């Protein structure tokens, strides 16, 4: 019995490759399986809960999803807990976002792409003691004095600008590629010069060739010490380069001058250009394509770096994630690389800590997540099967009870390759399963079940078409059929991220009943990220439908329930010798022996609730668990998790 319980309920040791366990900080975050996955992220810091610590804001451009993680770590510790309490306060962001305090009030504002205007709009952070808030202060675009008048500061959806204080006067300046896409333009903020304070956004273009550097049209090579505006450079015939680059500036060698980190579309790394000019004129004199040198970034494609203190030690670390707008241009399960800075802010020493920061705490199957409830093991309870965009399948077996479901990742493999979307349901109630099939065109085909096989009835079932031409010419419809209050409803996922809801009837065109979502699940957002898909069922028999939604980020979101997930991914990164616990099962005294230098241990139930916390520094300790009820518990020890049974 003990062996069975341990094999079924064994939690994963969350593998964080590429780090030295004896010298790096702990990663304390408990699992948050239902976050929704990550693909192409940009990052910001804000004190969301007003506790004095900067929390982490993540913007995933693949679906324009914003996620918030509260910073619960003490000095030297990495501990970020996912929360949905603050999402509603943020404005709708598209394509990219820079989180930076332009007015000097200590609150990070938001610069983001102005869709349809090739420009930048700005939201001011107006948070008060009553809560988080933002106010639109610049729309439709930010302007700069250029050539005799105020002109839109060009910004595309495929370029990531640098918005930092370039001249040290306290207001935020801006670097972005110009119209030709070859040279970097500098737009100086004149707020301090004109008004003596830095609460304004008044720009003037002061440099058409910042750093005296030019980007090659044909590859990611940078031409140094050149401002000849095309002379000697290979420029595209139509006058425009291939779109796509990220620009980041920071003093990376401690000489007080801003160096340049640049990434180009279709290329996986960061190029470092070293500034040897002066305060008045930047001059890039050398370039290195492998950054950081200890473990160069290799992320398809066009990575964007973000410098911030992740482990709360007062020194900025490095986060890197893809920026390419192409959903297929991401690294799937390893899309967020974290480098811990073992040096200082003036003398950096970035060492790779993990390639899946935050991802390893959530369900993330890579590119796309298409959930389906099915009794996979035939035990009478619904399990969760998740297929990704490339046809691979991951199975989460329901190892809970009829009243309290719990999922355990038990299998992964491949089905038919390529994208497909089928739903089997006895629509006409004749005792045979019918087939509803979605397709890339955004419509549905209906096949009536026969004694042998299926017969096509229509390729435009219910008149359903979920295409959004502002997103693309495709719809990627994924059907789900379910009963609600005696009526058959059809949920259709879409590329645009909306979950459409229809009432199934004999009519040639089904009635759209999106208003019923408020009754079924009031907390569901309007959009879930591109390629949304839903699995819907009453898992615990309480009359309330549980809804699991997948998206192209590769993760899942759960609504109307709190269901734990155990054995979240399989890793062999940790060896058993690192943490030994005994006896197991235990009556009262749990012994812990370890070779890992660590000072905190947590005991949690299967829902992630912390029941006991203890700090220690010796290689062996004893924890009194006599007050715990009989059952199965998780012991979390830094990077390692162990299951034990309490008698």
């Amino acid at each position: 019995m003990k062996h069975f319980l341990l094999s079924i309920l064994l939690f994963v040791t969350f593998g964080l490759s590429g780090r030295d366990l004896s010298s790096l900080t702990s990663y304390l975050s408990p699992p948050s399986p239902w976050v929704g996955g990550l693909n192409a992220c940009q990052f910001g810091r804000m004190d969301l809960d007003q506790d004095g610590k900067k929390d982490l804001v993540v913007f995933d451009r693949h679906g324009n999803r914003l996620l918030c993680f509260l910073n619960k770590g003490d000095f030297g510790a990495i501990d970020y807990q996912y929360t949905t309490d603050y999402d509603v306060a943020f404005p709708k962001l598209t394509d990219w976002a820079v989180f930076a305090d332009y007015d000097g009030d200590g609150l990070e504002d938001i610069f983001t792409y102005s869709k349809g205007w090739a420009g930048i709009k700005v939201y001011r952070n107006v948070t008060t003691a009553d809560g988080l808030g933002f106010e639109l202060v610049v729309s439709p675009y930010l302007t700069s004095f250029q050539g005799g008048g105020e002109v839109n500061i060009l910004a595309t959806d495929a370029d990531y600008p640098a918005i930092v204080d370039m001249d040290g006067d306290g207001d935020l300046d801006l670097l972005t590629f110009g119209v030709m896409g070859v040279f970097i333009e500098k737009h100086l903020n004149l707020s301090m010069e004109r008004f003596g304070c830095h609460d304004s956004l008044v720009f003037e273009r002061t440099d058409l060739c910042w750093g005296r550097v030019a980007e090659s049209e044909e590859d990611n090579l940078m031409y140094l010490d050149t401002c000849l505006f095309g002379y000697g450079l290979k420029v595209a015939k139509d006058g425009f380069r291939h779109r796509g680059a990220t620009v980041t500036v920071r003093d990376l060698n401690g000489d007080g001058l801003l160096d340049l980190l640049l990434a180009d579309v279709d290329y996986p790394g960061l190029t470092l250009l070293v500034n040897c000019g002066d305060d008045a004129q930047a001059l890039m004199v050398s370039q290195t394509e492998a950054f950081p040198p200890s473990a160069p970034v290799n992320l398809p494609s066009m990575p964007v770096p973000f410098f911030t203190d992740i482990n709360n030690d007062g020194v900025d670390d490095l986060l890197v994630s893809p920026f390419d707008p192409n959903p297929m241009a991401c690294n799937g399960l390893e899309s967020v690389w974290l480098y811990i800075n073992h040096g200082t802010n003036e003398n950096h020493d970035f060492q790779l800590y993990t390639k899946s920061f935050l991802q390893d705490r959530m369900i993330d199957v890579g590119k796309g997540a298409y959930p389906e409830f099915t009794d996979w093991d035939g035990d009478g309870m619904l399990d969760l099967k998740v297929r990704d965009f490339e046809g691979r399948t991951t199975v989460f077996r329901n190892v809970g009870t009829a009243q309290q479901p719990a999922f355990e990742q038990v299998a992964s493999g491949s089905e038919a390759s390529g994208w497909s979307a089928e739903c089997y349901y006895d629509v006409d109630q004749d005792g045979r399963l019918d087939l509803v099939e979605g397709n890339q065109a955004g419509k549905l085909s209906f096949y009536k079940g026969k004694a042998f096989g299926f017969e096509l009835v229509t390729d435009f079932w219910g008149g359903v078409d979920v295409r959004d031409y502002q997103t693309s010419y495709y719809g990627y419809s994924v059907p789900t059929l379910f009963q609600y209050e005696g009526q058959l409803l059809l949920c259709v996922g879409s590329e645009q991220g909306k979950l459409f809801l229809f009432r199934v009837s004999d009519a040639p065109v089904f009635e759209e009943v999106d208003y019923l979502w408020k009754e079924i699940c009031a907390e569901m957002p309007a959009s879930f990220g591109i390629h949304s898909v839903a699995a819907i069922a009453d898992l615990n028999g309480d009359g309330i439908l549980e809804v699991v939604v997948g998206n192209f980020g590769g993760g899942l979101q759960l609504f109307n329930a709190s269901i734990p997930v155990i054995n979240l991914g399989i890793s062999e990164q940790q060896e058993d010798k690192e943490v030994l616990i005994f006896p197991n099962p235990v009556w009262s005294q749990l012994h812990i022996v370890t070779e890992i230098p660590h000072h905190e241990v947590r005991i949690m139930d299967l829902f992630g609730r912390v029941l006991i916390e203890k700090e220690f520094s010796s290689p062996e300790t004893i924890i009194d668990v006599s007050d715990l009820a009989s059952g199965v518990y998780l012991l979390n020890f830094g990077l390692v998790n162990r299951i034990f049974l309490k008698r």
Side-chain angles (χ1 to χ4, degrees):
M1 180 65 179
K2 178 182 73 173
H3 176 75
F4 174 78
L5 284 172
L6 292 180
S7 63
I8 291 296
L9 297 174
L10 180 62
F11 275 72
V12 69
T13 295
F14 295 95
L16 299 177
S17 58
R19 58 175 166 232
D20 177 4
L21 295 178
S22 65
S23 61
L24 293 183
T25 58
S26 58
Y27 194 16
L28 303 177
S29 313
S32 297
W34 306 107
V35 175
L38 299 173
N39 271 0
C41 300
Q42 302 138 42
F43 304 91
R45 301 306 296 265
M46 293 183 184
D47 186 0
L48 300 172
D49 55 0
Q50 301 187 45
D51 67 348
K53 291 182 180 178
K54 293 293 184 181
D55 306 301
L56 189 62
V57 179
V58 182
F59 174 68
D60 190 341
R61 73 170 303 167
H62 288 176
N64 295 319
R65 299 169 55 236
L66 188 135
L67 304 98
C68 297
F69 295 83
L70 296 180
N71 184 0
K72 298 298 183 179
D74 295 323
F75 181 87
I78 302 173
D79 192 352
Y80 291 89
Q81 297 181 10
Y82 174 64
T83 178
T84 59
D85 293 345
Y86 305 94
D87 300 6
V88 68
F90 283 87
K92 178 65 176 177
L93 309 177
T94 58
D95 297 298
W96 59 260
V98 176
F99 303 88
D101 178 15
Y102 81 83
D103 55 3
D105 62 358
L107 304 174
E108 288 76 13
D109 310 298
I110 303 176
F111 297 75
T112 189
Y113 178 62
S114 185
K115 198 171 185 66
W117 295 96
I120 302 171
K121 58 183 177 181
V122 184
Y123 293 89
R124 181 172 177 262
N125 191 329
V126 292
T127 296
T128 66
D130 295 328
L132 188 68
F134 297 91
E135 174 189 9
L136 182 63
V137 293
V138 175
S139 182
Y141 49 75
L142 201 61
T143 64
S144 175
F145 187 81
Q146 309 174 45
E150 292 290 328
V151 179
N152 173 30
I153 298 177
L154 178 68
T156 74
D157 59 348
D159 290 320
Y160 193 70
I163 303 177
V164 296
D165 182 7
M166 302 286 295
D167 54 2
D169 65 353
D171 54 27
L172 295 181
D173 310 302
L174 194 147
L175 292 180
T176 186
F177 274 99
V179 174
M180 300 297 292
V182 176
F183 303 98
I184 299 173
E185 295 183 351
K186 177 181 177 181
H187 297 267
L188 187 69
N189 192 339
L190 302 179
S191 181
M192 286 298 296
E193 288 83 352
R194 292 188 180 179
F195 311 118
C197 59
H198 43 70
D199 60 356
S200 299
L201 295 168
V202 182
F203 292 94
E204 179 181 0
R205 187 178 64 189
T206 59
D207 199 335
L208 287 164
C209 182
W210 182 82
R212 295 185 61 83
V213 63
E215 184 183 39
S216 168
E217 164 61 23
E218 296 185 345
D219 51 37
N220 65 337
L221 179 69
M222 300 299 296
Y223 295 95
L224 304 180
D225 196 16
T226 179
C227 282
L228 301 180
F229 297 95
Y231 180 76
L233 300 179
K234 297 178 181 179
V235 181
K237 293 180 180 179
D238 59 4
F240 292 89
R241 67 173 172 91
H242 57 289
R243 295 173 63 213
T246 66
V247 178
T248 305
V249 291
R250 183 180 176 91
D251 179 10
L252 290 169
N253 59 5
D255 63 358
L257 299 174
L258 293 176
D259 305 303
L260 172 65
L261 276 178
L262 190 115
D264 196 37
V265 67
D266 296 330
Y267 290 89
L270 291 171
T271 298
L272 169 63
L273 295 104
V274 176
N275 184 1
C276 285
D278 53 37
D279 292 337
Q281 180 67 52
L283 175 63
M284 303 300 158
V285 298
S286 67
Q287 59 181 313
T288 303
E289 295 185 21
F291 182 88
S294 61
V297 172
N298 186 11
L299 276 168
S301 85
M302 198 170 36
V304 57
F306 179 68
F307 296 91
T308 190
D309 180 12
I310 292 296
N311 62 351
N312 299 292
D313 65 353
V315 179
D316 284 349
D317 307 300
L318 172 63
L319 287 170
V320 189
S321 188
F323 182 73
D324 199 310
N326 180 2
M328 298 306 295
C330 70
N331 219 38
L333 298 174
E334 296 183 337
S335 292
V336 183
W337 290 25
L338 169 60
Y339 294 82
I340 295 295
N341 187 355
H342 287 255
T344 65
N345 285 331
E346 294 73 28
N347 186 16
H348 305 89
D349 179 16
F350 296 113
Q351 299 292 325
L352 183 60
Y353 186 68
T354 175
K355 294 182 179 180
S356 54
F357 178 59
L358 301 177
Q359 289 180 281
D360 51 23
R361 295 298 194 241
M362 63 184 73
I363 295 174
D364 194 332
V365 298
K367 301 173 184 176
Y370 302 92
E372 175 190 358
F373 289 126
T374 181
D375 187 0
W376 177 76
D377 56 3
D379 66 353
M381 294 189 297
L382 289 177
D383 309 299
L384 179 61
K385 186 171 69 173
V386 184
R387 179 175 46 84
D388 71 11
F389 196 79
E390 297 172 338
R392 292 183 297 267
T393 298
T394 303
V395 176
F396 296 86
R397 181 188 175 200
N398 190 343
V399 296
T401 66
Q403 292 75 36
Q404 294 183 326
F407 292 116
E408 176 201 15
Q409 183 173 337
V410 294
S412 61
S414 299
E415 294 182 331
S417 61
W419 181 89
S420 63
E422 300 93 10
C423 176
Y424 295 90
Y425 197 94
D426 186 3
V427 175
D428 52 12
Q429 298 183 356
D430 64 353
R432 295 191 179 100
L433 289 177
D434 306 304
L435 169 62
V436 181
E437 185 177 52
N439 53 51
Q440 291 183 349
K443 300 178 181 180
L444 300 177
S445 298
F446 178 72
Y447 297 81
K448 179 176 175 55
K450 297 292 187 178
F452 300 97
F454 298 92
E455 178 184 8
L456 176 64
V457 176
T458 176
D459 278 330
F460 196 19
W461 192 49
V464 172
D465 186 345
V466 297
R467 285 175 293 181
D468 178 2
Y469 291 112
Q470 292 185 345
T471 302
S472 77
Y473 291 105
Y474 299 104
Y476 286 97
S477 54
V478 184
T480 301
L481 287 158
F482 64 100
Q483 289 283 338
Y484 176 69
E485 293 189 346
Q487 54 188 329
L488 181 59
L489 298 183
L490 168 67
C491 170
V492 186
S494 65
E495 184 179 34
Q496 62 178 286
K498 177 182 175 180
L499 291 178
F500 292 81
L501 193 61
F502 302 91
R503 181 180 288 113
V504 178
S505 67
D506 294 330
V509 177
F510 294 160
E511 177 189 3
E512 190 168 356
V513 289
D514 285 351
Y515 62 87
L516 286 179
W517 280 131
K518 294 181 179 180
E519 298 180 17
I520 297 170
C521 184
E523 61 184 358
M524 289 176 63
S527 179
F528 301 86
I530 57 175
H531 291 280
S532 62
V533 183
I536 304 172
D538 183 3
L539 295 176
N540 55 8
D542 63 355
I544 299 175
L545 292 170
E546 280 73 49
V547 182
V548 171
V549 182
N551 59 64
F552 201 82
L556 303 175
Q557 295 171 271
L558 172 66
F559 302 92
N560 280 1
S562 177
I563 301 177
V565 178
I566 60 179
N567 198 25
L568 183 57
I570 300 171
S571 172
E572 298 178 354
Q573 296 296 323
Q574 304 294 327
E575 300 179 5
D576 289 341
K577 66 179 183 181
E578 291 173 345
V579 175
L580 175 65
I581 62 173
F582 64 91
N584 192 1
V586 59
W587 291 97
S588 58
Q589 302 292 315
L590 184 67
H591 294 247
I592 304 173
V593 179
T594 179
E595 298 176 0
I596 303 175
H598 188 69
H599 299 275
E600 186 173 16
V601 64
R602 297 176 176 181
I603 291 179
M604 297 181 285
D605 62 18
L606 296 186
F607 291 89
R609 293 175 295 213
V610 178
L611 306 177
I612 298 176
E613 287 185 283
K614 182 176 180 180
E615 294 185 0
F616 68 97
S617 57
S618 62
E620 183 174 356
T621 191
I622 297 175
I623 296 182
D624 186 355
V625 296
S626 57
D627 290 338
L628 296 180
S630 298
V632 180
Y633 295 90
L634 168 68
L635 182 142
N636 171 250
F637 189 87
L639 306 174
V640 178
N641 297 285
R642 293 287 184 264
I643 285 290
F644 68 91
L645 183 64
K646 170 62 170 60
R647 292 296 192 189

